[in-house]
Amino acid sequence: DAKTTQPPSMDCAEGRAANLPCNHSTISGNEYVYWYRQIHSQGPQYIIHGLKNNETNEMASLIITEDRKSSTLILPHATLRDTAVYYCIVRGGGGSQGNLIFGKGTKLSVKP
Amino acid sequence: GAVVSQHPSWVICKSGTSVKIECRSLDFQATTMFWYRQFPKQSLMLMATSNEGSKATYEQGVEKDKFLINHASLTLSTLTVTSAHPEDSSFYICSARGGGAPYEQYFGPGTRLTVT
């Protein structure tokens, strides 16, 4: 079973920040939070991952709560091309420690 | 990020025939490769995991004799769907992970299989 809970869908206006929440209340100390997205009929695309500190890259920011039981993926200026299903996944941090198991994700619709 | 390719991108085959899908990591060595399947409007389901030179580990409910996986090199894995049936029609996606930190996992573009 997926270890995360995400809202099934969200809307966001083009140019505004998209904040996608994820609950992972059973996360263990050595598990990372990963975010991927899947645009229709394509393979998933890696976005970002983190352990406990907030992370930022050219695509997004990841905010992890201090108790690590939830996180938020932030797309700072959403565009129409960001419309996709976003998956929040928890997984062990190294080597063969766990596989990426996908839940149902959040379908983000960016509207003009 | 690293690039993973799949070939073919789509294939149509007749019921009872076999079809092979190739997955290549183009710019890194993939210690571990994964095969997923995705039915319409559903999420990705992990089918099997393979390490280079070893037999694949299949998830519960996936028939290993029907879905043959070969991971002969650090850049190539193949999935062969044997004696395909219409219910095998799906979107097959491979994924690859390198052997060193940060152990990020990258996905191919997927292969659409239609069995008629």
Side-chain angles (χ1 to χ4, degrees), chain B residues 11 13-20 66 68 80-84 113:
Chain B
V11 58
C13 71
K14 292 189 175 181
S15 186
T17 63
S18 296
V19 61
K20 180 185 286 187
K66 181 171 183 62
L68 302 179
T80 301
V81 183
T82 63
S83 187
L113 170 63

Side-chain angles (χ1 to χ4, degrees), chain B residues 7 9 12 19 22-23 25 49 54 57 59 65 67-70 75 79 84-85 87 98 100 103 105 112:
Chain B
H7 178 80
S9 55
I12 301 173
V19 61
E22 288 188 352
C23 175
S25 57
T49 303
S54 301
T57 300
E59 295 296 299
D65 294 331
F67 299 99
L68 302 179
I69 292 172
N70 185 287
T75 60
L79 168 68
H85 291 285
E87 56 265 31
Y103 305 106
Q105 190 168 327
R112 176 78 56 193

